[in-house]
């Protein structure tokens, strides 16, 4: 099976970088502070900015408190890199994109994105849309639309790589096709689902398009 695109928009956590251990440690710590069930919290935390998750869990809490806790969580995560590793196939996949149109679109801020990509020893894309760049978290499509605009391509010409429900929804809302990566993605009907990035090959074509091939 294959798809063609002109640009690729890449989520980070769960898609390029396995940071699940850190994410769960930090959210368990926050859940304990607020007397919430950690499993319930973790179940909806992946793929979006922390303040959006907090607003769902504590709907009556002032936005300012959620934003303050969002910053605390970012600081915890940026200094906790234990267990942060590349998703299988990510190093070769990223190497294959050198010189091709692609962007990072992540709910992490700049510091956390640099820390995790560095810990996983993955190259940082030249174009990146981080938390500071958007007014709304995934599943809002703003981040992916900004990434496409910065690369100079129409949304329909872009393919999103995502692992989370919020991220897949954001890609769809942006009018883009979505490749779901990893076990979380399988339940949310991406256009293509892969176990990890070892199943993806990127081939530049003579007309400037990219052919994505998916292997078993």
């Amino acid at each position: 099976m294959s798809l063609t695109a002109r640009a690729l928009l890449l989520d980070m956590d769960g898609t390029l970088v396995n940071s699940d251990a850190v994410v769960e440690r930090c959210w368990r710590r926050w859940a304990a502070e607020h007397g919430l069930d950690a499993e319930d919290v973790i179940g909806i935390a992946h793929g979006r900015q922390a303040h959006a998750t907090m607003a769902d869990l504590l709907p009556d809490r002032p936005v300012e408190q959620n934003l303050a806790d969002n910053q605390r969580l970012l600081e915890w995560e940026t200094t906790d890199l234990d267990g942060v590793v590349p998703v299988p196939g990510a190093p070769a996949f990223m190497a294959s994109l050198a010189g091709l149109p692609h962007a990072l679109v992540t709910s992490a801020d700049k510091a956390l994105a640099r820390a995790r990509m560095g810990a996983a020893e993955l190259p940082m894309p030249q174009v990146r849309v981080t938390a500071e760049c958007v007014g709304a978290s995934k599943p809002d499509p703003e981040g992916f639309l900004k990434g496409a605009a910065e690369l100079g391509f129409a949304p329909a010409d872009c393919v999103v790589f995502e692992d989370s429900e919020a991220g897949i929804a954001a890609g769809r809302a942006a009018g883009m096709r979505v490749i779901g990566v990893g076990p979380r993605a399988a339940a949310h009907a991406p256009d293509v689902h892969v176990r990890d990035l070892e199943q993806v090959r990127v081939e530049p074509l003579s007309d400037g398009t990219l052919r994505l091939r998916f292997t078993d």
Side-chain angles (χ1 to χ4, degrees):
M1 182 181 179
S2 67
L3 291 177
T4 57
R6 291 196 170 273
L8 307 183
L9 301 177
L10 314 173
D11 174 54
M12 182 179 71
D13 293 302
T15 301
L16 300 175
V17 174
N18 183 345
S19 57
D20 283 2
V22 178
V23 171
E24 293 190 9
R25 278 196 298 272
C26 292
W27 276 109
R28 286 182 189 281
R29 179 178 171 184
W30 184 85
E33 287 183 357
H34 295 278
L36 298 172
D37 182 272
E39 299 307 320
D40 291 342
V41 173
I42 292 166
I44 66 167
H46 289 286
R48 54 185 184 164
Q49 293 184 43
H51 65 79
T53 298
M54 294 168 188
D56 282 352
L57 292 164
L58 301 171
D60 297 326
R61 202 166 77 135
V63 171
E64 292 77 16
Q65 289 184 32
N66 291 337
L67 292 173
D69 272 8
N70 185 100
Q71 189 58 40
R72 281 203 303 146
L73 231 71
L74 286 170
E75 290 167 1
W76 294 349
E77 291 184 288
T78 302
T79 57
D80 183 356
L81 299 174
D82 187 25
V84 174
V85 295
V87 165
F93 174 76
M94 293 300 290
S96 76
L97 297 186
L100 302 179
H102 68 288
L104 189 72
V105 181
T106 176
S107 296
D109 66 1
K110 291 177 184 176
L112 182 56
R114 283 195 301 268
R116 286 195 175 151
M117 292 291 280
E121 298 183 346
L122 295 175
M124 179 67 83
Q126 185 173 358
V127 175
R128 51 252 192 190
V129 180
T130 57
E132 300 94 336
C133 303
V134 297
S137 174
K138 300 172 185 177
D140 191 281
E142 181 184 359
F144 287 124
L145 292 172
K146 283 198 168 186
E150 285 200 37
L151 291 170
F153 294 99
D157 290 329
C158 299
V159 166
V160 165
F161 282 73
E162 264 287 359
D163 73 301
S164 71
E165 179 179 10
I168 290 170
R172 287 197 181 287
M176 301 172 184
R177 291 157 293 163
V178 181
I179 310 304
V181 180
R184 273 192 295 272
H188 305 295
D191 293 280
V192 177
H193 177 256
V194 294
R195 178 190 64 248
D196 54 42
L197 294 173
E198 289 183 341
Q199 293 186 284
V200 184
R201 298 290 181 272
V202 181
E203 176 188 354
L205 303 179
S206 59
D207 64 356
T209 60
L210 309 176
R211 178 181 288 138
L212 306 177
R213 295 188 182 276
F214 308 101
T215 63
D216 295 330

